[in-house]
Amino acid sequence: TALIGREEETELLLRRWLRAKNGEGQVVLISGEAGIGKSRLTASLLESLAPEPHTSLRYFCSPQHTDSAFYPIIGQMERAAGLLHDDTPQQKLDKLDALLAQTSTSIQDTALIAEMLSLPNDGRYPARELTPQQRRQKTLEALTAQVETLSRQNPVLMIFEDVHWIEPTSLVAIGRLLDRILTLRVLVLVTFRPEFDAPWVGRPYVSSLIINR
């Protein structure tokens, strides 16, 4: 269905996308109560951008997984790699390798991402002795590097849905990306309900969009 009465909001998103495409990374925080049309607005932008070359990444937070580290990021990576429930561990690793080869991901970073996805190392990756803190830090660095590489290939649209349900590790991952975004061809849309206190408000490349009825 056509999006009615949101012309100003759509125009803002398109202007921010134009800036991002030109190498000036942008963030739009979209807040509003449940059912008011935040997701419909992001879907409308996706439809508008369909004819032009770009990469879309969508992340969905869940009220059932507020304690599951990297939950929305794992979900996006599994969808992008085409991992199926019935795949064997080896098939899943093969699919992940094929996906990450597109961004020339190092074998060390691929091993970290495979571990994040709870995939067993079948010997194809070197074993590394890391503390849990080191592993988390290097995984965060690997995820940021993924986005940076993708943005060199095509402009990137990243959509984080329902961030009021995000868990702490993914929140840190978003924060690390937003610290670097200004020189990347990336537009990040973050949707959430009004009770979420977005920590990025006030930065010069961050716009706030409050959706009312």
Side-chain angles (χ1 to χ4, degrees):
T1 57
L3 190 64
I4 306 297
R6 296 290 183 206
E7 291 82 4
E8 286 184 26
E9 292 90 339
T10 302
E11 279 297 316
L12 173 72
L13 297 184
L14 288 171
R15 289 198 303 273
R16 295 298 177 267
W17 172 248
L18 192 58
R19 281 194 193 176
K21 276 203 306 184
N22 291 328
E24 188 183 341
Q26 296 289 304
V27 183
V28 182
L29 309 176
I30 304 172
S31 66
E33 61 191 71
I36 202 164
K38 300 184 295 295
S39 294
R40 185 68 192 88
L41 187 61
T42 63
S44 176
L45 180 64
L46 280 168
E47 291 161 15
S48 300
L49 302 185
E52 61 180 276
H54 72 287
T55 300
S56 295
L57 307 173
R58 298 185 78 182
Y59 305 83
F60 300 94
C61 303
S62 161
Q64 285 82 41
H65 296 91
T66 54
D67 295 322
S68 303
F70 293 115
Y71 175 78
I73 297 169
I74 289 169
Q76 188 279 327
M77 195 74 72
E78 288 176 340
R79 290 190 302 276
L83 305 191
L84 302 175
H85 181 69
D86 294 336
D87 287 343
T88 65
Q90 184 176 6
Q91 287 172 323
K92 290 181 178 180
L93 286 172
D94 290 344
K95 288 181 176 181
L96 181 65
D97 284 350
L99 174 71
L100 298 181
Q102 298 170 22
T103 47
S104 303
T105 305
S106 70
I107 193 169
Q108 291 85 0
D109 283 0
T110 301
L112 289 164
I113 292 171
E115 188 168 355
M116 180 185 76
L117 298 180
S118 301
L119 299 179
N121 185 351
D122 60 2
R124 69 180 73 190
Y125 310 127
R128 300 174 73 187
E129 293 299 324
L130 297 171
T131 66
Q133 182 59 31
Q134 288 172 327
R135 197 172 302 281
R136 177 177 179 271
Q137 190 69 17
K138 289 188 177 297
T139 302
L140 289 165
E141 290 170 5
L143 293 171
T144 305
Q146 282 290 303
V147 178
E148 290 178 341
T149 303
L150 284 171
S151 74
R152 287 194 288 271
Q153 297 170 351
N154 274 311
V156 177
L157 173 64
M158 303 180 73
I159 302 174
F160 291 89
E161 299 262 15
D162 295 323
V163 170
H164 47 276
W165 288 321
I166 201 167
E167 33 67 44
T169 311
S170 293
L171 189 62
V172 171
I174 296 177
R176 287 178 65 96
L177 173 65
L178 299 197
D179 288 342
R180 309 265 281 274
I181 199 173
L182 197 52
T183 57
L184 304 179
R185 294 194 299 164
V186 178
L187 171 61
V188 176
L189 306 183
V190 184
T191 78
F192 51 89
R193 294 181 189 170
E195 62 266 24
F196 178 73
D197 189 14
W200 315 290
V201 173
R203 299 187 187 189
Y205 52 87
V206 176
S207 305
S208 295
L209 196 53
I210 299 171
I211 305 296
N212 296 310
R213 295 208 179 275

